[in-house]
Amino acid sequence: DAMVIQNPRYQVTQFGKPVTLSCSQTLNHNVMYWYQQKSSQAPKLLFHYYDKDFNNEADTPDNFQSRRPNTSFCFLDIRSPGLGDAAMYLCATSRGGSAGTDTQYFGPGTRLTVL
Amino acid sequence: AQKVTQAQTEISVVEKEDVTLDCVYETRDTTYYLFWYKQPPSGELVFLIRRNSFDEQNEISGRYSWNFQKSTSSFNFTITASQVVDSAVYFCALSEMETSGSRLTFGEGTQLTVNP
């Protein structure tokens, strides 16, 4: 089945220790998104890639970076995690075609704990 | 600016009851898309429906139905004969269409608990 995969599902890191979250997709979608979701809140878009074009949200902290080495994979790097970065991180993909077809499909998420 | 409001933070029902989740949106766009997603305790956001602004027909899918009313900027979601497995957080979202993909504006979500 075509899907969005996130690894690991649970990640524990130490305050200030860099961490990388991974997302892969078998949908062959052009667009990949990263969201941060804190407890009892709506997902918040951090950035997205349309193919290789990176689109950062204006309020995304510099501490968050992303890489997309190929169509299938996208990584979220947190350079120096703080306690406030503990959250669920959701990856999503969409075809990126004409407006009416662009539905985002989400992966299962990675829950990040910062000690 | 776009905005989605889900006024019901939490709803609790007993199994087999019908339940309606409200969603009200604001946008200046004439073309837009509305979505509902389900987020069970496992965390994954599951796509339920997409509706474009030109199609005001209501939709039914099994026990789920959606009522889109452009005049009141509402896109409500009804679950008929609710089941325990329907317990989840439900998000309504509005899409801002861009050439580089879509940007979703989410509501704050409604936590639905269905008790046996």
Side-chain angles (χ1 to χ4, degrees):
Chain A
D1 287 341
M3 56 175 48
V4 182
I5 302 161
Q6 289 188 247
N7 285 307
R9 293 294 309 278
Y10 300 90
Q11 176 74 55
V12 180
T13 191
Q14 292 180 337
F15 183 94
K17 184 175 181 181
V19 65
T20 295
L21 308 183
S22 170
C23 177
S24 63
Q25 53 125 344
T26 60
L27 296 161
N28 203 31
H29 281 172
N30 292 314
V31 193
M32 295 187 77
Y33 309 79
W34 279 104
Y35 288 85
Q36 179 193 63
Q37 186 181 24
K38 295 188 176 180
S39 182
S40 301
Q41 295 184 17
K44 178 181 182 299
L45 181 64
L46 295 173
F47 26 58
H48 73 276
Y49 273 96
Y50 192 112
D51 288 334
K52 295 183 179 180
D53 293 333
F54 179 68
N55 299 271
N56 198 27
E57 294 300 298
D59 56 354
T60 297
D62 292 340
N63 197 27
F64 292 88
Q65 304 284 321
S66 186
R67 295 169 285 135
R68 189 178 185 186
N70 54 53
T71 299
S72 301
F73 285 86
C74 194
F75 300 98
L76 170 62
D77 301 309
I78 308 177
R79 294 192 295 187
S80 182
L83 297 179
D85 296 327
M88 174 75 90
Y89 289 88
L90 294 162
C91 175
T93 73
S94 71
R95 192 176 300 169
S98 60
T101 63
D102 215 33
T103 296
Q104 292 186 27
Y105 296 93
F106 286 80
T110 295
R111 189 169 296 282
L112 178 68
T113 300
V114 182
L115 301 178
Chain B
Q2 303 198 337
K3 185 179 179 182
V4 176
T5 302
Q6 294 180 253
Q8 304 148 309
T9 305
E10 297 181 21
I11 300 176
S12 183
V13 300
V14 177
E15 208 169 15
K16 297 185 183 177
E17 282 186 28
D18 298 347
V19 58
T20 295
L21 310 181
D22 297 333
C23 173
V24 174
Y25 63 91
E26 296 174 28
T27 180
R28 293 181 183 176
D29 293 347
T30 54
T31 301
Y32 52 89
Y33 295 83
L34 296 162
F35 300 80
W36 276 95
Y37 284 88
K38 173 183 180 181
Q39 188 173 40
S42 60
E44 180 177 357
L45 275 164
V46 179
F47 166 70
L48 295 178
I49 190 172
R50 178 186 69 238
R51 171 67 70 220
N52 75 57
S53 53
F54 297 108
D55 182 1
E56 290 194 67
Q57 282 191 335
N58 291 331
E59 182 154 340
I60 298 174
S61 176
R63 296 184 296 108
Y64 295 170
S65 61
W66 291 270
N67 183 352
F68 175 34
Q69 293 201 348
K70 210 167 176 178
S71 61
T72 57
S73 297
S74 65
F75 186 43
N76 297 335
F77 173 30
T78 297
I79 301 174
T80 303
S82 60
Q83 299 176 0
V84 173
V85 293
D86 296 327
S87 297
V89 180
Y90 290 86
F91 289 97
C92 180
L94 174 66
S95 178
E96 194 179 305
M97 305 316 297
E98 304 179 348
T99 55
S100 65
S102 65
R103 176 178 280 105
L104 290 174
T105 299
F106 285 92
E108 290 302 309
T110 297
Q111 169 73 61
L112 173 65
T113 302
V114 181
N115 298 297

